[in-house]
Amino acid sequence: MINRTVLVGRLTNDPELKYTGSGVAVATFTVAVNRQFTNSQGEREADFIRCQMWRKAAENFCNFTHKGSLVGIDGRIQTRSYENQQGQRVYVTEVVAENFSLLESKNSNQNNQSEQFGQNRPQNNGQNYQNQQNGQSAPSSNPNDQFNSMPDIKDDDLPF
């Protein structure tokens, strides 16, 4: 069975970082994803998808993103339910993000942010972050380090 979700969209607000009672970081955020088609008025609609991210990836995500950031999210769909104060059962469907990518260049992102929000926060261009629970850690500060350890591939080795 497969439960895999990939989203590309913009954050509707700054991600919210909280910690559980045992000190585990959890970030919650909403990604606006444009639909591939237009409605009857010729306008493109969007879906607003609730997401959460855990542990070190959540902290990194909150440090490097803000409202309006263009992000790629890789994760799984999760459903849960709870009883509200009126005793009604409430069902929630959200994406549990395991990895993320920043999809705007550092300069573009800072320019947009400065113009729209009048502040500067650190950005990390083109970096992919993976959840530490998968046994993988955030990349080094040099984005080219991931390519330095790749094997030498010759044209004759490629199948096409």
Side-chain angles (χ1 to χ4, degrees), residues 37-43 45:
F37 52 88
T38 57
N39 62 19
S40 58
Q41 289 81 30
E43 299 168 343
E45 295 179 352

Side-chain angles (χ1 to χ4, degrees), residues 45-60:
E45 295 179 352
D47 293 304
F48 298 88
I49 301 169
R50 293 282 308 157
C51 302
Q52 62 178 228
M53 189 177 297
W54 292 85
R55 296 179 176 72
K56 185 67 176 172
E59 294 174 327
N60 287 334

Side-chain angles (χ1 to χ4, degrees), residues 131-143:
N131 197 332
Q132 295 233 328
Q133 77 184 28
N134 295 335
Q136 299 171 344
S137 61
S140 71
S141 61
N142 183 351

Side-chain angles (χ1 to χ4, degrees), residues 63-118:
N63 286 333
F64 296 120
T65 61
H66 56 87
K67 178 180 178 178
S69 293
L70 182 63
V71 296
I73 300 294
D74 174 33
R76 61 185 168 82
I77 294 175
Q78 175 178 286
T79 58
R80 59 186 171 88
S81 64
Y82 64 92
E83 239 179 71
N84 66 13
Q85 293 177 346
Q86 292 78 28
Q88 299 170 322
R89 176 70 52 196
V90 177
Y91 294 92
V92 179
T93 300
E94 58 202 350
V95 171
V96 178
E98 296 166 358
N99 308 308
F100 74 90
S101 296
L102 304 177
L103 300 178
E104 288 181 310
S105 69
K106 183 176 183 178
N107 292 338
S108 170
N109 202 349
Q110 283 180 341
N111 290 341
N112 289 342
Q113 182 179 5
S114 297
E115 293 169 9
Q116 294 177 356
F117 308 110

Side-chain angles (χ1 to χ4, degrees), residues 15-42:
E16 184 179 337
L17 182 64
K18 293 184 179 180
Y19 291 88
T20 65
S22 59
V24 177
V26 59
T28 56
F29 53 95
T30 300
V31 178
V33 179
N34 284 338
R35 294 183 180 171
Q36 294 295 318
F37 52 88
T38 57
N39 62 19
S40 58
Q41 289 81 30

